[in-house]
Amino acid sequence: MAQRQRSLRFSELPEPIRLEDTVEERPAVAHDSASGAYNPEWWLIRMGGL
């Protein structure tokens, strides 16, 4: 019984995930250093959105 349940559960691979579904794209915003405003996501813009 347990062997059959394992076989049913693991006999197929999951559906592939499309690359388009794994990437989030947002427009970059230029840093306004003159105002001194702090942007907590500035490192994402500088580092390419790691």
Side-chain angles (χ1 to χ4, degrees), residues 6-34:
R6 274 193 300 277
S7 177
L8 289 174
R9 181 176 179 188
F10 298 110
S11 63
E12 295 181 14
L13 293 174
E15 291 294 321
I17 298 173
R18 299 180 321 161
L19 180 62
E20 296 84 21
D21 296 336
T22 64
V23 177
E24 176 185 354
E25 293 186 13
R26 293 188 286 171
V29 178
H31 181 63
D32 184 11
S33 59

Side-chain angles (χ1 to χ4, degrees), residues 22-24 26 41-50:
T22 64
V23 177
E24 176 185 354
R26 293 188 286 171
E41 294 185 352
W42 175 241
W43 70 273
L44 290 172
I45 297 167
R46 300 274 300 174
M47 301 302 290
L50 296 174

